[in-house]
């Protein structure tokens, strides 16, 4: 029920973004991600983008891996 | 992420080997129903040593929706003749022996929606039909429901309202750690956290010294979350991690939180099988009461209905595993479910039924 999928915004018109979901184009409301730009990846749930996915933050996952080293 | 996969797996294996050689029993609760399914689907349960138990928590909105809510939804159809839109998961949830699916077959107007906006679009096109959206969910879904109400308000729609069964996860987890001392660590819901922020669950580690990790849904993300929590347990240093940082911010999505705050207020809510949890529900504020189906149709709140013999509550509190319920796979199956944990594809009973033993 909290399932969400990631998709890339191809076009923005007002509050609505057209998102490519595995080859299917879907209109998605961008009302919760006002700073989203064309080309951004967003997390989509029930027709609304709930968050922008940050490429940079992947780096923090790498930091977490250091935490896992057993010493 | 490709570069990191092999190192996650390597670390995971190292940590699991240490657990296997120890005489510890470790209980980890994955709170979210989507995690429950993903753990089974990726075969992660089978990678864990015998002395780690994964317990499924109350993190499936369908499973915690009481029968009395379903009975109220039936009333909207039977007494008020509305067209009821809802998410597909709600169609098979029993209420006093009936379901929305059965009512639909009897000719009542029940429509499955992908988004609450589908109901708005339908209401605009059909001004003579009374449309209700039946919205169940957690904080992931709450801002979408709130935004839909705001859209109806802006468009001054007269024939649209919402029947809400929305609950919030942090109060339920607080209740859970107060009532179950067996849980050693938490895998926290990634998409709920995307909305409310990693900050919202820190109290689990800060107040109760239980390690926890906000976790994503791919195999690698799950292994990372589990590894961090297990290592923290082994080291006896309770730590809190945001292991899903590319999606979840510390403060969450402030705009989504603003929508929730604008449209909803907190109130007590009944969690099916668990009981009343203070301030764990969201209700439509007075300002938007014209869009509150409960008020619009004068629905009277019904006392909780609990099916006989169903152990959903015990299971969601982590005190019992699905196969230990006397009804499991006998009187209660996905085809003929007694309790909601067997109805929802994300329910722990349904997941155990589908994937078997562990």
């Amino acid at each position: 029920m909290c399932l969400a999928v990631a998709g890339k915004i191809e076009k923005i018109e007002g509050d609505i973004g057209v998102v490519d979901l595995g080859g299917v184009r879907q209109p998605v409301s961008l009302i919760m991600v006002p700073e989203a730009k064309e080309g951004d990846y967003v997390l989509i749930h029930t027709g609304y983008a709930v968050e922008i996915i940050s490429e940079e933050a992947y780096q923090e996952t790498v930091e977490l891996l250091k935490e896992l080293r057993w010493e | 992420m490709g570069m990191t996969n092999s190192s996650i797996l390597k670390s995971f294996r190292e940590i699991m080997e240490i657990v296997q050689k120890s005489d510890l029993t470790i209980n980890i609760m994955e709170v979210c129903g989507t995690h429950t399914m993903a753990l089974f689907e990726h075969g992660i349960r089978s990678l864990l040593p015998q002395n780690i138990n994964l317990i499924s928590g109350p993190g499936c909105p369908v499973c915690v929706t009481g029968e009395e809510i379903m009975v109220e939804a039936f009333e909207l159809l039977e007494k008020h003749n509305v067209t009821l839109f809802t998410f597909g998961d709600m169609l098979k949830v029993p209420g006093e022996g009936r379901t929305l699916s059965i009512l639909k077959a009897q000719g009542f107007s029940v429509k499955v929606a992908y988004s609450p906006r589908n109901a708005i679009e339908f209401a605009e096109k059909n001004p003579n039909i009374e449309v209700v959206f039946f919205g169940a969910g957690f904080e992931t879904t709450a801002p979408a429901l709130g935004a839909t109400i705001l859209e109806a308000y802006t468009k001054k729609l007269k024939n649209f309202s919402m029947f809400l069964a929305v609950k919030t996860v942090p109060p339920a987890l607080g209740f859970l750690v107060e009532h179950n001392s067996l849980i050693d660590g938490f895998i926290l819901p990634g998409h709920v956290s995307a909305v409310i922020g990693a900050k919202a669950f820190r109290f689990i580690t800060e107040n109760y010294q239980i390690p926890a990790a906000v976790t994503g849904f791919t195999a690698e993300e799950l292994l990372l979350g589990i590894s961090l929590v297990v290592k923290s347990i082994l080291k006896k240093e309770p730590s809190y991690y945001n292991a899903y940082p590319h999606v979840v911010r510390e403060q969450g999505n402030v705009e989504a939180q603003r929508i929730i705050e604008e449209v909803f207020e907190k109130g007590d809510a009944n969690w099916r099988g668990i009981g009343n949890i203070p301030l764990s529900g969201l209700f439509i504020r007075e300002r938007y009461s014209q869009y509150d189906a409960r008020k619009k149709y004068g629905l009277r709140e019904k006392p909780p209905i609990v099916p006989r013999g169903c152990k959903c509550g015990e299971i969601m509190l982590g005190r019992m595993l699905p196969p230990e319920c006397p009804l499991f796979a006998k009187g209660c199956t996905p085809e003929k479910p007694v309790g909601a944990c067997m109805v929802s594809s994300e329910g722990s009973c349904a997941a155990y039924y589908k994937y078997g033993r562990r």
Side-chain angles (χ1 to χ4, degrees):
Chain A
M1 287 284 272
C2 292
L3 198 60
V5 290
K8 187 177 172 183
I9 302 175
E10 293 197 335
K11 221 169 59 219
I12 297 179
E13 283 174 21
D15 282 341
I16 301 289
V18 176
V19 174
D20 178 5
L21 291 173
V24 184
R25 286 184 174 69
Q26 284 268 8
V28 169
S29 169
L30 303 176
I31 199 159
M32 291 174 222
V33 286
E35 66 281 25
K37 308 179 298 296
E38 286 175 5
D40 282 351
Y41 280 86
V42 284
L43 189 72
I44 301 151
H45 174 76
T46 67
Y48 288 83
V50 290
E51 189 54 289
I52 299 169
I53 298 169
S54 154
E55 300 271 342
E56 296 82 59
Y58 269 123
Q59 197 48 44
E60 294 171 37
T61 312
V62 178
E63 295 297 309
L64 285 171
L65 282 171
K66 291 180 190 154
E67 291 265 347
L68 280 182
R69 283 195 205 128
W70 195 268
E71 58 271 326
Chain B
M1 196 79 179
M3 287 297 290
T4 58
N5 287 355
S6 58
S7 40
I8 290 177
L9 197 56
K10 191 164 160 279
S11 295
F12 172 80
R13 288 205 172 118
E14 275 174 12
I15 292 167
M16 293 308 144
E17 221 161 282
I18 295 164
V19 174
Q20 197 151 17
K21 287 174 183 156
S22 78
D23 51 3
L24 296 167
T25 300
I26 295 176
N27 295 318
I28 295 177
M29 177 173 274
E30 93 277 0
V31 174
C32 166
T34 313
H35 276 155
T36 304
M37 285 303 287
L39 287 163
F40 273 114
E41 280 169 2
H42 297 306
I44 290 175
R45 284 169 175 269
S46 58
L47 300 177
L48 297 173
Q50 291 290 346
N51 50 345
I52 293 186
N53 299 313
L54 278 181
I55 298 166
S56 307
C60 138
V62 175
C63 308
V64 297
T65 299
E67 295 220 2
E68 66 283 357
I69 300 283
M70 299 312 299
V71 172
E72 286 177 50
F74 303 159
E75 192 178 316
L76 286 170
L77 290 163
E78 292 177 312
K79 272 200 189 149
H80 304 287
N81 203 20
V82 306
T83 289
L84 189 77
F85 279 80
T86 190
F87 298 125
D89 306 71
M90 303 310 295
L91 254 63
K92 289 204 162 73
V93 184
E96 293 179 335
R98 300 192 301 158
T99 65
L100 286 173
S101 194
I102 291 172
L103 269 79
K104 185 178 164 70
Q106 290 170 344
F108 288 100
S109 186
V110 180
K111 294 182 187 292
V112 172
Y114 153 72
S115 164
R117 299 189 69 234
N118 301 146
I120 290 243
E121 287 156 10
F122 183 88
E124 282 180 294
K125 284 196 188 104
N126 301 280
N128 302 324
I129 298 177
E130 283 294 327
V131 179
V132 176
F133 188 84
F134 174 16
F138 292 137
E139 292 96 325
T140 318
T141 317
L145 298 170
T148 305
I149 289 175
L150 290 173
E151 187 176 337
Y153 181 82
T154 308
K155 290 179 168 167
K156 297 190 172 65
L157 280 180
K158 293 274 184 284
N159 61 327
F160 172 84
S161 61
M162 205 172 272
F163 177 56
L164 208 64
V166 174
K167 294 179 171 69
T168 56
V169 180
L173 286 199
F175 181 93
L176 206 93
V177 288
E178 293 279 351
H179 290 80
N180 183 345
S181 56
L182 297 173
I183 302 167
D184 303 305
F186 280 102
I187 299 297
L188 297 169
H191 294 149
V192 164
S193 303
V195 170
I196 61 179
K199 68 179 191 328
F201 292 110
R202 284 191 180 274
F203 73 94
I204 292 174
T205 309
E206 284 167 7
N207 303 357
Y208 300 96
Q209 287 71 52
I210 302 174
V214 173
T215 303
F217 299 88
T218 67
E220 295 76 26
E221 287 161 351
L222 284 159
L223 291 177
L224 178 63
I226 292 169
S227 302
L228 288 164
V229 169
V230 173
K231 185 183 172 188
S232 185
I233 293 166
L234 289 171
K235 289 274 183 190
K236 298 190 172 62
E237 296 160 3
S239 303
Y240 184 90
Y241 299 100
N242 176 1
Y244 198 26
H246 48 291
V247 172
V248 176
R249 291 180 278 175
E250 178 64 17
Q251 298 302 326
N253 183 336
V254 177
E255 184 56 29
Q257 291 164 32
R258 195 193 60 76
I259 292 169
I260 292 175
E261 184 58 31
E262 168 67 27
V263 183
F264 305 122
E265 59 192 359
K266 288 180 183 153
D268 300 352
N270 173 51
W271 291 58
R272 180 200 172 104
I274 296 174
N276 186 64
I277 300 179
L279 300 180
S280 67
L282 293 180
F283 301 90
I284 298 169
R285 285 187 189 275
E286 192 55 44
R287 186 177 175 200
Y288 300 104
S289 61
Q290 73 212 77
Y291 298 105
D292 186 343
R294 279 198 177 86
K295 294 200 170 104
K296 185 171 179 176
Y297 299 103
L299 296 179
R300 279 218 303 274
E301 219 172 299
K302 295 183 171 46
I305 303 166
V306 182
R308 276 229 316 264
C310 171
K311 301 289 185 199
C312 266
E314 295 293 300
I315 286 162
M316 285 188 290
L317 286 172
R319 293 177 185 152
M320 188 186 251
L321 290 174
E324 294 168 344
C325 172
L327 299 178
F328 181 78
K330 299 181 187 76
C332 180
T333 63
E335 291 71 40
K336 284 201 75 155
V338 175
C341 300
M342 190 63 97
V343 174
S344 167
S345 61
E346 294 183 351
S348 48
C349 295
Y352 270 78
Y353 188 91
K354 184 173 174 187
Y355 293 99
R357 310 134 327 274
R358 285 198 68 211

